[in-house]
Amino acid sequence: MDTSRSLSAVGNLNSSTTKSDPRHQADNSEDDVVIRNTFDLLKSGEEKIKLTEKYKNVILVLGDTGNGKSKFTEWITGNDDKLMSKETKKGTGEYIIVHSDDTSHSTITSQTIYPQLIVDSTTNTPYYDCPGFKNTKSTSNDIATTYFVKRIGDYAETIKIIFIINYPSVRTGVDRHNFIELLRQAIDFVKNIDKFRNSIALVATKVDNQCVKQGGNFNLVGTCKIIDAIGDFLQEVKDDLKTRSNNNEAEEHFCKNAVKFIEVLLAQDAEQYSRIGIFRRPDEPGALNEITLLKEEKNHILRMIHKKLSFTEKSSEDFGYTISGKSKNHINGLVEEINKSVWNSTSQISEEIHNYYRHLVAEIRSKINSFVTTTESTDIDLSKAGELSYRLKNGYNVISNFKEDIKSSTTPHELLKKISNIISNFDIQISNENVLNIESKGNYFTFLQVVSDKKLSTRPWHELLSGVMTYLVESRRNILEDIQDAVEKIKNRIISCITDLATEIKAHYTRKMKQLEIQILKIKEIILNTCVSSVKGELDIGSMAWVYPIQELTHYIYESEKWYIFLDALYNKFSEYEVQRDKNKYNVENLEDWGIDEKPQGDSNNCRYIPPIFE
C-alpha cells in the first residue's frame, strides 16, 4: 500500500478543512480580536495607571462588579462633589447614587477598567478603586484588569484591604452564592489570611433604609443593628463551612481559609463588630456630601479604616491572581504575541551591539591603515591602542558568555536583567524603547504565568547573537591580516628610508673627501658604527635588512678613508722642502730608486705636476 498518498490525502483534507471551515476561521478571528484588544488595554493602562513613590502605603478597595466600589471610594475619600442622590421614580422613596454628568445607571457593567488612584485629601491616604473580580465586559477586560491589580499589589509596600459587597448578599435567609463567590475571590487573592488579619474589613453597600414600628412611630434601623445582623449572617456561613463535607482537597482548602477570613471579619471591640461597615442608600435627593444620614455612616467607616485597621507590609508572594477559564484559553495566543515583541526588541538590541563592534573594528582598522598611508609623523597613544585591543578581545568573551547565559533565561525579565548587565559593563548605546518594551512585556509574561495552569515557553533568544559572534571572529582574523600587511609595508618603508638616508650620507661625504676634509672621516665612521649597533638593538627584528644600508655606508667610508689617508700622506710627502728642492730625485722610473740622485727618470708626460708649497 502506498502510504505516502494516504498521508498526503489526509494532509490535504486537514488543510482544506482548516481553510474552508467557517467555525475555524471564526475562532481565529475571535482570538486575533481578543489578543489585539488585550494589548490595547494593557498599553492604555500603562499610560493611565498612577504609581508614585509618594503613595506606597495604600488601601485596596476590592469586590465584585456592580457592588458600588467606585462610588464608595469617591464618597469615603471626600471626592464626591459629583455624586448625587436621585429618586428612581417619583414618589417611590427609593434613591440611587449617580454622577451628575453620567447618564448610565447600570449596576451590572463595571465602569472601572483600571485601578483608579483616589486620595483622601484630609488624611492624604491613597485608595485604589480596583476593577471588579467578575468583570462583565470581556475576556480582554478580565485579563487587563487582573494584571493591573497585580501591578498595584507589587508596587505597594504596605496594604489595607476593604472588601465591598452589596447588602442583599449578606442578609440572613437570602441566597449565599454572591457572598461565597466573594469568599473564593478573596481567598484566591489573599494567600495568607493570618498575615493580613489586622488589615482586612468588609463594607456592605446599597443598604436599604428600613424602619421598624416602635409604639406608634416608625424608626430607622440603626447602624449597629444592621452590622449585628450582618455578623449573624457571617456566623451562620462560618458554622456551615465548618461542618461541610468536602470531597476534594481544593474544597477543603477553601473551607479552611474561608473560616479564617470570616473570623477576621467577626473581630469585636467592646462587643461591637470592628471590621464591618455599611454604606446606606440615600434617604433624600441632592448632593451626596450634604445628606446627614450618610455623613454619620462615613464617620463610622473612617474610624474603622484608620483606628481599627493597620497597614501590613507585603511581599510579592502574598497575593494570588486568577482569571476566568474562558480567558485562560487565550493565554497561548497572548504569550506568542509577547514572544514576538520581545524577539523583535532583542533583535534590535543585538543589532545595536553589532553596530557597536562594527564601529570599534572600523576604528581599529582605520588606525592600522593610517600607519601605512600617512607620510607625516604620527603620535601613537599606546594606552588608547591597549584600550581598543582590550575592548575587542574582551567583547568576544563577554558576548560569548552572554549568549550562553541567555540560553537559560526562561522569562523576558531574566533576559532583560542580563541585557542590563552587558549595557552597564560596556559603553554601548542601547535604545531605551526596546529595553522598556522588554520590561513591559516581561510584566505581562510574568502575570500570565501566574494565572496560567501550565509552564509558559519562550523563544531561543541566544540565537540572535550568532551574527555578532561570527562578525567578531571574522573581524579578529581580518585585523590580524591588516596588522601583518601593515608591518610588511612599514618594514619596507623603513628600509627604503634608511637606504635613501645612507645614499645621501654617502654622497655628502664623497663630496667632503674630494675636498680633502679627510680629518673628519674617522669620527664619522665611529658614529655610523654606533648607529648600526643601536638600530639592531632597538628594532630587534632578527634581520639585517634594516641595518644593511648603514653597514654598507660604513664600509664605503672606511675604504675611502684608507685611500684618502694614503693620498693625504703622499701629498704631504710631495710638499716637503727636500722633494720640492730636487724633484728629479723623486721622479724616477723605478720606485726602488725613489729619492736617489741620478737615477733614470720617469715618464715626464705621465708625471703629475707637484706644485711647490712655498712659492
Side-chain angles (χ1 to χ4, degrees), residues 108-119:
I108 300 175
T109 302
S110 173
Q111 303 301 313
T112 305
I113 299 177
Y114 311 115
Q116 303 291 320
L117 174 63
I118 304 176
V119 180

Side-chain angles (χ1 to χ4, degrees), residues 179-232:
F179 181 70
I180 296 298
E181 282 300 306
L182 176 67
L183 282 178
R184 292 188 184 278
Q185 298 288 354
I187 290 166
D188 285 342
F189 181 71
V190 184
K191 292 182 178 180
N192 189 341
I193 301 296
D194 290 328
K195 179 176 180 178
F196 290 90
R197 175 174 293 276
N198 297 321
S199 305
I200 295 174
L202 178 73
V203 172
T205 60
K206 305 179 183 181
V207 176
D208 295 322
N209 296 309
Q210 294 180 328
C211 295
V212 293
K213 188 175 182 180
Q214 295 177 336
N217 299 318
F218 286 91
N219 297 320
L220 183 68
V221 177
T223 298
C224 290
K225 289 290 185 181
I226 296 174
I227 291 176
D228 285 344
I230 294 173
D232 292 342

Side-chain angles (χ1 to χ4, degrees), residues 573-574 576 578-602:
K573 187 65 179 178
F574 285 160
E576 290 178 359
E578 290 295 332
V579 174
Q580 292 293 327
R581 188 182 65 176
D582 191 358
K583 297 177 182 178
N584 290 331
K585 291 171 61 175
Y586 300 96
N587 181 22
V588 294
E589 183 178 346
N590 190 343
L591 188 59
E592 293 178 354
D593 297 331
W594 198 75
I596 302 175
D597 291 331
E598 298 179 356
K599 293 295 181 180
Q601 295 291 292

Side-chain angles (χ1 to χ4, degrees), residues 65-69 106-108 165-168 204-209 278-281:
T65 296
N67 285 343
K69 295 186 312 303
S106 172
T107 59
I108 300 175
I165 191 167
N166 60 30
Y167 178 59
T205 60
K206 305 179 183 181
V207 176
D208 295 322
N209 296 309
I278 64 171
F279 181 25
R280 291 179 182 268
R281 289 180 180 273

Side-chain angles (χ1 to χ4, degrees), residues 52 134 210 213 244 246 275 338 371 465 548 607:
T52 171
K134 294 183 292 184
Q210 294 180 328
K213 188 175 182 180
R244 180 181 293 185
N246 301 311
R275 304 296 181 83
I338 289 171
F371 297 152
L465 292 168
Y548 178 76
C607 183

Side-chain angles (χ1 to χ4, degrees), residues 239-375:
D239 293 340
D240 287 348
L241 290 171
K242 280 185 173 182
T243 59
R244 180 181 293 185
S245 177
N246 301 311
N247 298 323
N248 58 67
E249 185 177 343
E251 194 63 18
E252 183 178 350
H253 172 79
F254 162 71
C255 290
K256 178 181 177 181
N257 285 283
V259 168
K260 280 186 179 181
F261 184 81
I262 293 174
E263 287 176 345
V264 169
L265 300 179
L266 291 174
Q268 291 188 343
D269 184 10
E271 298 184 354
Q272 296 290 323
Y273 293 111
S274 58
R275 304 296 181 83
I276 303 173
I278 64 171
F279 181 25
R280 291 179 182 268
R281 289 180 180 273
D283 61 350
E284 59 181 299
L288 208 65
N289 54 20
E290 295 179 358
I291 298 176
T292 303
L293 178 63
L294 296 184
K295 289 181 181 179
E296 295 173 358
E297 301 298 344
K298 177 184 283 189
N299 291 332
H300 176 269
I301 294 176
L302 288 174
R303 283 195 300 272
M304 177 182 71
I305 292 173
H306 295 295
K307 301 296 184 181
K308 306 302 180 182
L309 300 183
S310 58
F311 284 106
T312 297
E313 187 174 345
K314 61 86 190 174
S315 66
S316 58
E317 295 80 22
D318 285 335
F319 303 113
Y321 304 91
T322 60
I323 57 177
S324 68
K326 179 182 177 182
S327 298
K328 288 181 180 180
N329 293 333
H330 297 281
I331 286 180
N332 287 339
L334 291 168
V335 169
E336 180 57 27
E337 288 301 312
I338 289 171
N339 279 328
K340 285 181 183 178
S341 182
V342 173
W343 181 271
N344 183 56
S345 290
T346 307
S347 177
Q348 292 182 39
I349 289 174
S350 175
E351 183 62 22
E352 288 172 321
I353 294 174
H354 203 155
N355 285 335
Y356 169 82
Y357 285 108
R358 285 192 185 102
H359 293 150
L360 176 62
V361 169
E363 183 179 1
I364 294 174
R365 298 188 72 178
S366 174
K367 194 66 177 176
I368 293 172
N369 185 59
S370 70
F371 297 152
V372 177
T373 58
T374 302
T375 57

Side-chain angles (χ1 to χ4, degrees), residues 470-484:
T470 301
Y471 176 76
L472 288 173
V473 171
E474 293 176 350
S475 295
R476 291 174 69 182
R477 182 171 60 249
N478 292 337
I479 288 173
L480 287 176
E481 291 175 355
D482 287 351
I483 291 173
Q484 292 171 356

